[in-house]
């Protein structure tokens, strides 16, 4: 059975200033998602599942899903504030979504095979999807063994400001032992990569430090684990207006408790995306360059 690609497309881009998931950045109006799906199909994924919000469903179906008819089976699920386990309801006045961990949970009813998780607004590169697909194919019929695609930090920076990254600690066998959230990461003119410490000082990071870009590989048992953790989260934080339930929190709890292992699968792919509005022009130019080099056709899907 081919693995499924699960795309987190429910969020609005607050810093970017709009629904960047639907922004046409390729030479023929392709979105970043289109390139991810094209790469995923080449790598051997067999189904695409989007998690979106109800309020832009019609536009999403018209602009995005219509492109894939005849190319790949597609399912849509919805992240909604009221999509909670029995006995829970959102606090009065809450408008903030429940976070990436909750978004992934929405796929439980339609995913029964090993699956990859990515952000809709990140370009991950050809090699990263090959790495992810190879791992997921090896997990057919297995459980409790997950992966994260580890990017070299030097391949994930923005030219338009500092970024935050989860810097991974990996043991000698390639398994994740911890993630440190680092902020204000950027490349100096001399080529060194720096981050801002909690004390407000700067520290250097090695070029090849492994970072998480929210590209995960799971088997379906992940849903049951995360659902149990989400109930615990709601019991503790459900009355808050802005608390969020994140994928790394679920993963970290499962690793530290010894329930699962998580392999960091390295990739040399170069990540880019539209963290800031100023990143848009750079991203458009990068897609044009990739098309000119023959890596992609235009349009992607005929």
């Amino acid at each position: 059975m081919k693995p499924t690609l699960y795309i987190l497309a429910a969020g609005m881009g607050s810093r970017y200033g709009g629904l960047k998931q639907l922004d046409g950045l390729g030479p023929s109006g392709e979105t970043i998602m289109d390139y991810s799906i094209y790469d995923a199909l080449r790598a051997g994924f067999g189904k695409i599942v989007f998690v979106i919000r109800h309020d832009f469903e019609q536009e999403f179906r018209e602009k995005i899903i219509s492109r894939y008819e005849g190319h790949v089976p597609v399912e849509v699920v919805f992240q909604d504030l009221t999509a909670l386990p029995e006995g829970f309801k959102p606090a009065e006045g809450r408008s903030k979504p429940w976070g990436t961990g909750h978004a992934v949970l929405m796929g439980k009813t339609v995913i029964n095979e090993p699956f990859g998780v990515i952000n809709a607004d990140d370009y991950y590169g050809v090699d990263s999807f090959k790495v992810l697909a190879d791992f997921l194919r090896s997990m057919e019929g297995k459980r409790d063994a997950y992966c994260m695609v580890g990017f070299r930090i030097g391949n994930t920076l923005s030219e338009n400001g500092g970024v935050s990254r989860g810097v991974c600690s990996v043991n000698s066998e390639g398994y994740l032992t911890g993630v440190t959230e680092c902020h204000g990461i950027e490349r100096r003119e001399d080529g060194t990569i720096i981050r801002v410490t909690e004390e407000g000082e700067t520290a250097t990071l090695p070029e090849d430090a492994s970072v998480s870009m929210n590209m995960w590989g799971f088997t379906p048992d992940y849903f049951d684990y995360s659902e149990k953790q989400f109930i615990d989260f709601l019991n503790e934080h459900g009355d808050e207006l802005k608390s969020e339930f994140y994928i790394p929190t679920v993963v970290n709890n499962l690793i530290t408790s010894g329930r699962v292992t998580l392999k960091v699968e390295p990739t040399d792919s170069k990540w880019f995306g539209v963290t800031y509005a100023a990143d848009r022009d750079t991203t458009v130019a990068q897609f044009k360059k990739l098309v000119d080099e023959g890596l992609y056709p235009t349009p992607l899907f005929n």
Side-chain angles (χ1 to χ4, degrees):
M1 185 179 289
K2 292 183 175 181
T4 285
L5 184 66
Y6 190 63
I7 301 179
L8 306 180
M12 287 285 282
S14 56
R15 284 177 295 182
Y16 185 63
L19 248 187
K20 57 186 174 180
Q21 290 90 340
L22 304 185
D23 195 3
L25 300 170
S28 298
E30 293 88 354
T31 66
I32 293 180
M33 278 186 294
D34 290 328
Y35 288 98
S36 290
I37 290 168
Y38 188 86
D39 287 339
L41 295 180
R42 285 199 285 190
F45 284 82
K47 182 172 78 175
I48 308 297
V49 178
F50 295 99
V51 57
I52 65 171
R53 293 197 318 276
H54 284 287
D55 61 4
F56 61 83
E57 177 186 3
Q58 183 177 349
E59 185 182 9
F60 194 88
R61 288 188 183 277
E62 291 172 356
K63 287 188 173 182
I64 303 296
I65 293 176
S66 61
R67 302 183 186 200
Y68 311 130
E69 291 173 355
H71 293 284
V72 61
V74 174
E75 301 249 20
V76 176
V77 295
F78 298 94
Q79 185 177 24
D80 187 277
L81 277 181
T82 60
L84 298 174
E86 191 173 345
F88 292 95
K89 62 180 182 180
E92 188 174 346
R94 183 179 178 112
S95 59
K96 193 173 184 63
W98 292 106
T100 55
H102 177 251
V104 173
L105 262 180
M106 299 302 98
K108 182 177 181 179
T109 58
V110 298
I111 299 175
N112 301 297
E113 58 284 319
F115 65 102
V117 176
I118 63 167
N119 293 333
D121 48 12
D122 290 335
Y123 173 81
Y124 290 99
V126 176
D127 180 68
S128 66
F129 284 98
K130 291 178 181 173
V131 166
L132 184 56
D134 285 346
F135 177 87
L136 292 172
R137 277 191 291 266
S138 75
M139 287 297 105
E140 179 67 34
K142 300 177 183 177
R143 57 173 295 139
D144 299 338
Y146 307 152
C147 86
M148 183 205 82
V149 179
F151 286 74
R152 295 162 58 94
I153 196 169
N155 286 338
T156 73
L157 305 180
S158 168
E159 297 175 1
N160 297 301
V163 297
S164 297
R165 296 285 180 260
V167 179
C168 303
S169 300
V170 184
N171 68 18
S172 60
E173 296 174 313
Y175 290 96
L176 185 71
T177 58
V179 178
T180 303
E181 192 68 24
C182 297
H183 305 283
I185 302 170
E186 58 186 333
R187 190 185 297 278
R188 285 179 161 166
E189 288 185 5
D190 64 3
T192 58
I193 299 172
I194 59 125
R195 68 178 177 93
V196 178
T197 67
E198 291 182 2
E199 295 76 28
E201 300 172 352
T202 60
T204 59
L205 286 165
E207 179 80 26
D208 60 353
S210 182
V211 296
S212 168
M213 299 306 295
N214 219 35
M215 191 177 203
W216 306 91
F218 298 121
T219 44
D221 49 275
Y222 174 86
F223 291 121
D224 291 331
Y225 288 134
S226 59
E227 191 165 49
K228 289 174 183 173
Q229 288 194 38
F230 188 48
I231 289 171
D232 292 341
F233 166 86
L234 290 171
N235 280 323
E236 193 169 341
H237 303 288
D239 292 336
E240 299 169 13
L241 296 181
K242 294 188 175 181
S243 54
E244 291 189 66
F245 180 65
Y246 296 113
I247 298 169
T249 305
V250 178
V251 168
N252 185 60
N253 288 339
L254 291 171
I255 291 172
T256 54
S257 67
R259 285 187 175 273
V260 308
T261 59
L262 190 135
K263 190 81 181 290
V264 177
E265 297 285 353
T267 181
D268 288 327
S269 281
K270 180 173 170 51
W271 172 96
F272 58 83
V274 281
T275 304
Y276 300 96
D279 290 330
R280 188 185 188 281
D281 290 345
T282 304
T283 300
V284 168
Q286 286 172 308
F287 279 131
K288 183 180 186 303
K289 182 172 183 286
L290 292 172
V291 169
D292 290 345
E293 291 171 350
L295 192 60
Y296 298 103
T298 186
L300 274 178
F301 297 98
N302 290 312

